[in-house]
Amino acid sequence: MVGVKNLHLCSTEETKTPTPWMAWGLIYFGFTSSSIRYKDQNFCLKITKENQENSQLQSPQGLSYKQPIVVSPNGKPVALTPWLVPIVWEGTFDPMLINSIYRQKNITIATTVFALGKYTQFLKVFLESAEQNYFVGFRVHYYVFTDQPELVPEVKMGEEHNLTVLKVPSSNRWQDISLSRMARLEKLIESRLINEADYVFSLDVDSKFYGHWGVETLGRLVGVIHPGYYLTSREYFTYERRPESQAFIPYSEGDYYYGGAVIGGLVKDVYRLAKTCREQLDIDASKSIEAAWQEESHLNKYFLYNKPSKVLSPEYLWQDQIPHKDRVKILRFSQIIKNYADVRPN
């Protein structure tokens, strides 16, 4: 009978200078047997934070493969991407179980909201509905970017829910507000969130929570499938199609069309996303190029080659003007009906 002896987990200090073949951990087994004799050796496994969550799931550019589907031909939601990460739908998780698991982690979820110009009118509904549905029972810190701090409404916050108002300059173009989002998110993470939060979500303010949104949405890097394109062939996605833009995606490539209204994940991974998109936006700006849908176009480029570790179904980003009863079981977060000519500065 072959046995394993002397199990030992190495600390980081014990494996400071691993050889190349120790990159993912090194295992030694010591065997004893009546017919096979080996020296007792230590079992050594290097465990790092990077491996506790999925490491970066990077895909090479130009790779040809079939477009993923969100709903199967029989009408049932697909719960797994082709790169084997979950698509979160109602019925794919147990809220009581997953809440009990995450409550032990003592986590903080930072949440950024951009409310400039007339978009401040949406803050009250956003915050009040969030306090009824968004990470209830967990530590949440909202960061509201606005050019009119005096118009931020007073909303009763739940236990361990806090709000900070951050004043930013006004803008004459709604596109500029969109274009600056990644830079502001990057700077906020650098200056505060890296020390204050575990996860961060950036959400659109002109939206309302209609149902539970909780820890089932947490992951290393999280994207949401846009409700307008989840049944659409990728040739019709509104990606940036000009090769001269850093956001360019060829017609032959694409997984899903991700909505820019929801970006989330571990602070360090969202920082990497925001910094990369901001750099690509800067390159485009230096060439007087503005991508089709500003930061959303660059977000889709990033997600195509840096796969999310969790994908949220359109339950987590709907639009009030689209009937949902025959399409999704439950509405959790939806962009409200509005007249863009009334709320946008241009």
Side-chain angles (χ1 to χ4, degrees):
M1 183 71 181
V2 176
V4 179
K5 296 181 67 178
N6 296 339
L7 176 63
H8 176 62
L9 298 182
C10 288
S11 69
T12 304
E13 287 75 17
E14 292 171 8
T15 56
K16 284 181 179 176
T17 314
T19 54
W21 39 272
M22 284 176 60
W24 291 97
L26 179 61
I27 301 175
Y28 295 97
F29 291 98
F31 297 101
T32 58
S33 165
S34 57
S35 57
I36 304 176
R37 297 187 182 211
Y38 293 115
K39 270 187 169 181
D40 289 347
Q41 296 184 27
N42 286 331
F43 174 100
C44 177
L45 174 63
K46 182 182 178 184
I47 299 176
T48 64
K49 267 190 173 183
E50 187 71 23
N51 295 326
Q52 290 176 10
E53 289 253 14
N54 290 338
S55 57
Q56 280 187 284
L57 304 172
Q58 293 185 321
S59 172
Q61 295 192 27
L63 190 65
S64 178
Y65 55 90
K66 188 176 179 181
Q67 180 185 348
I69 60 172
V70 182
V71 178
S72 65
N74 63 7
K76 292 185 177 180
V78 174
L80 204 64
T81 71
W83 57 96
L84 300 179
V85 305
I87 303 176
V88 185
W89 295 90
E90 174 70 7
T92 60
F93 62 94
D94 182 331
M96 183 178 68
L97 173 61
I98 196 167
N99 282 348
S100 66
I101 292 170
Y102 273 86
R103 280 199 182 99
Q104 302 175 72
K105 294 179 176 290
N106 193 32
I107 58 174
T108 297
I109 301 102
T111 303
T112 65
V113 184
F114 294 80
L116 281 78
K118 293 183 179 180
Y119 275 78
T120 54
Q121 66 186 279
F122 302 115
L123 268 172
K124 186 174 177 61
V125 169
F126 176 92
L127 291 169
E128 288 182 343
S129 63
E131 284 304 289
Q132 295 296 316
N133 299 286
Y134 183 70
F135 289 107
V136 175
F138 290 86
R139 190 181 300 115
V140 174
H141 196 144
Y142 301 99
Y143 295 86
V144 177
F145 289 87
T146 183
D147 55 345
Q148 302 172 87
E150 68 280 3
L151 295 183
V152 176
E154 289 189 15
V155 173
K156 185 179 179 181
M157 293 282 149
E159 186 178 357
E160 293 194 294
H161 282 211
N162 299 288
L163 185 148
T164 296
V165 177
L166 302 171
K167 193 176 190 316
V168 294
S170 301
S171 177
N172 294 323
R173 297 176 71 242
W174 68 265
Q175 294 94 336
D176 291 335
I177 298 171
S178 176
L179 289 164
S180 65
R181 182 176 174 183
M182 290 297 184
R184 286 177 175 146
L185 182 56
E186 177 190 1
K187 289 179 181 177
L188 179 65
I189 293 174
E190 284 180 349
S191 63
R192 300 187 62 158
L193 302 191
I194 196 69
N195 297 314
E196 295 181 3
D198 301 286
Y199 295 88
V200 57
F201 276 95
S202 181
L203 304 176
D204 272 9
V205 70
D206 54 336
S207 308
K208 181 179 179 179
F209 291 89
Y210 289 95
H212 167 88
W213 178 312
V215 293
E216 76 280 356
T217 64
L218 297 179
R220 179 187 55 79
L221 189 61
V222 182
V224 65
I225 298 173
H226 195 291
Y229 299 99
Y230 76 107
L231 298 176
T232 304
S233 173
R234 61 187 171 195
E235 291 84 8
Y236 299 101
F237 289 169
T238 54
Y239 290 154
E240 173 53 59
R241 302 299 189 180
R242 294 170 294 173
E244 57 267 33
S245 171
Q246 296 297 306
F248 167 66
I249 298 176
Y251 285 95
S252 58
E253 296 183 43
D255 297 322
Y256 312 108
Y257 189 88
Y258 297 97
V262 176
I263 304 168
L266 287 171
V267 168
K268 66 182 180 64
D269 287 276
V270 175
Y271 175 74
R272 187 181 294 118
L273 179 156
K275 185 174 188 292
T276 301
C277 288
R278 190 268 305 159
E279 290 171 346
Q280 301 303 308
L281 284 158
D282 286 348
I283 293 172
D284 271 8
S286 70
K287 300 177 181 178
S288 300
I289 298 171
E290 187 174 290
W293 289 102
Q294 295 80 41
E295 96 286 355
E296 185 175 83
S297 297
H298 290 270
L299 173 72
N300 273 276
K301 174 69 172 286
Y302 188 89
F303 276 156
L304 178 56
Y305 304 121
N306 300 272
K307 306 294 191 190
S309 63
K310 185 171 287 184
V311 176
L312 305 183
S313 72
E315 294 173 1
Y316 293 86
L317 178 61
W318 201 252
Q319 294 173 344
D320 281 359
Q321 68 268 26
I322 304 176
H324 76 276
K325 290 184 179 179
D326 297 330
R327 304 193 181 191
V328 298
K329 290 182 181 180
I330 184 172
L331 206 61
R332 303 182 189 278
F333 186 62
S334 183
Q335 295 181 309
I336 65 177
I337 297 172
K338 54 199 162 294
N339 183 343
Y340 284 107
D342 288 341
V343 298
R344 287 177 171 174
N346 60 303

